[in-house]
């Protein structure tokens, strides 16, 4: 599910960056593509945590599971703080002299977010390799 969610995340951000602007003049086509893409993006946002959170007890010793979940929340909160700042910096660098936010070109921030999807895909594939080598049964249900 992590690999699938990452692939969907990459596809959605690249669709927003490159496909949707081609439908700027088509109100119906652009709206349909935007709605379908945002629905798929929401699904990918559900798949990634749905695959990671149940895996934590299989990867971490029971004595430190609370700390592991706290670390996950901490990292997520850093991302919620950092990435809007990075997107703002990228927008400033790629849109010099543009003062109206409705006129910004969001291509590069969306490419940056797609790169995060690539990083998640790589980590997901590494996790699959580690799972196969160590027999962690990450893709098996927790309760049988």
């Amino acid at each position: 599910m992590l690999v699938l969610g990452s692939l969907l995340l990459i596809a959605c951000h690249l669709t927003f960056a490159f496909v949707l602007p081609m439908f700027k003049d088509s109100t119906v086509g652009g709206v349909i593509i935007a709605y379908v893409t945002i629905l798929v993006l929401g699904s990918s946002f559900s798949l990634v945590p749905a695959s990671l959170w149940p895996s934590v007890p299989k990867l971490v010793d029971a004595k430190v599971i609370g700390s592991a979940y706290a670390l996950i929340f901490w990292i997520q909160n850093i991302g919620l703080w950092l990435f809007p700042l990075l997107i703002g910096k990228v927008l400033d660098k790629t849109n010099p002299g543009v003062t109206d936010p409705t006129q910004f070109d969001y291509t590069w921030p969306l490419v940056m977010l797609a790169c995060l999807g690539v990083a998640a895909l790589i980590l997901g594939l590494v996790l699959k390799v580690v799972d196969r080598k160590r027999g962690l049964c990450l893709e098996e249900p927790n309760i049988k």
Side-chain angles (χ1 to χ4, degrees):
M1 286 189 335
L2 178 59
V3 171
L4 176 62
S6 300
L7 289 171
L8 291 174
L9 184 77
I10 295 165
C12 289
H13 285 301
L14 293 178
T15 299
F16 280 133
F18 299 111
V19 176
L20 196 58
M22 292 190 300
F23 289 88
K24 219 184 276 187
D25 298 328
S26 171
T27 54
V28 174
V31 168
I32 291 171
I33 289 173
Y35 276 116
V36 168
T37 305
I38 204 72
L39 288 171
V40 173
L41 185 63
S43 298
S44 74
F45 284 160
S46 298
L47 284 173
V48 172
S51 63
L52 286 178
W53 286 92
S55 300
V56 174
K58 293 180 179 181
L59 297 170
V60 177
D61 189 13
K63 293 185 287 187
V64 293
I65 198 160
S67 297
Y69 280 120
L71 181 63
I72 292 170
F73 275 118
W74 184 64
I75 292 169
Q76 286 177 332
N77 285 326
I78 289 172
L80 289 172
W81 163 76
L82 182 62
F83 281 94
L85 294 175
L86 289 175
I87 289 171
K89 294 287 184 192
V90 171
L91 282 173
D92 288 343
K93 294 288 183 189
T94 58
N95 294 286
V98 179
T99 56
D100 183 10
T102 62
Q103 301 302 315
F104 282 163
D105 178 13
Y106 285 87
T107 303
W108 288 110
L110 289 166
V111 169
M112 180 185 79
L113 293 172
C115 289
L116 288 175
V118 171
L121 177 62
I122 291 168
L123 288 173
L125 294 173
V126 167
L127 196 56
K128 283 182 80 68
V129 169
V130 169
D131 179 35
R132 189 169 296 136
K133 283 184 180 177
R134 295 192 181 165
L136 299 171
C137 302
L138 294 177
E139 295 184 10
E140 299 294 321
N142 285 344
I143 300 173
K144 295 182 180 180

